[in-house]
Amino acid sequence: MNLKNNMVIIDLGGFFKIHTIKLWNRIDEQPSYAIGVLIYVDDDLIGTIHDVQRLYNILAGEEVYGSKIFVKQSLAKFMNFIEIQVFGSGPYRKKEMSRKMF
């Protein structure tokens, strides 16, 4: 079924500082299913896809921390990636990060 809100959730298994998320698009002749995709770290929107590329490099801000990555299709169509990579450092304890951030 081709509905809005198709989603991939990546549980990182801990609390990490996120540097970059890479999404590898399909290379065949099919239309891109990446248009309309939103990328979140926990509740923070860090990127959107609005054009067709082979590789999407989503750079997170300086202070982006989270335990889950959400890749969500906002349009009424599928999404299809070859690979999703998450780069960062950690894990950290949430209490440790709240002291450093404030």
Side-chain angles (χ1 to χ4, degrees):
M1 193 175 286
N2 234 359
L3 300 175
K4 284 186 180 181
N5 301 325
N6 289 317
M7 186 181 324
V8 173
I9 302 170
I10 301 169
D11 188 338
L12 301 174
F15 192 67
F16 289 83
K17 180 175 184 179
I18 306 302
H19 304 289
T20 306
I21 298 174
K22 294 186 177 198
L23 298 103
W24 292 85
N25 202 3
R26 296 169 57 132
I27 58 173
D28 57 12
E29 296 299 320
Q30 296 297 318
S32 177
Y33 294 107
I35 304 284
V37 168
L38 308 173
I39 300 95
Y40 292 86
V41 175
D42 288 347
D43 295 329
D44 298 324
L45 177 65
I46 65 162
T48 61
I49 296 177
H50 49 79
D51 61 354
V52 177
Q53 297 179 27
R54 171 74 174 108
L55 170 63
Y56 301 96
N57 283 302
I58 309 299
L59 302 177
E62 284 295 314
E63 300 296 325
V64 177
Y65 294 87
S67 60
K68 291 185 180 173
I69 306 298
F70 297 89
V71 180
K72 179 179 175 183
Q73 177 54 273
S74 65
L75 304 176
K77 62 182 196 173
F78 296 110
M79 63 180 173
N80 190 337
F81 294 100
I82 295 171
E83 186 171 347
I84 301 172
Q85 299 172 312
V86 180
F87 297 89
S89 58
Y92 299 100
R93 292 188 307 256
K94 285 187 180 182
K95 289 182 358 184
E96 177 183 18
M97 295 318 302
S98 64
R99 277 187 259 131
K100 287 183 180 180
M101 294 170 67
F102 300 104

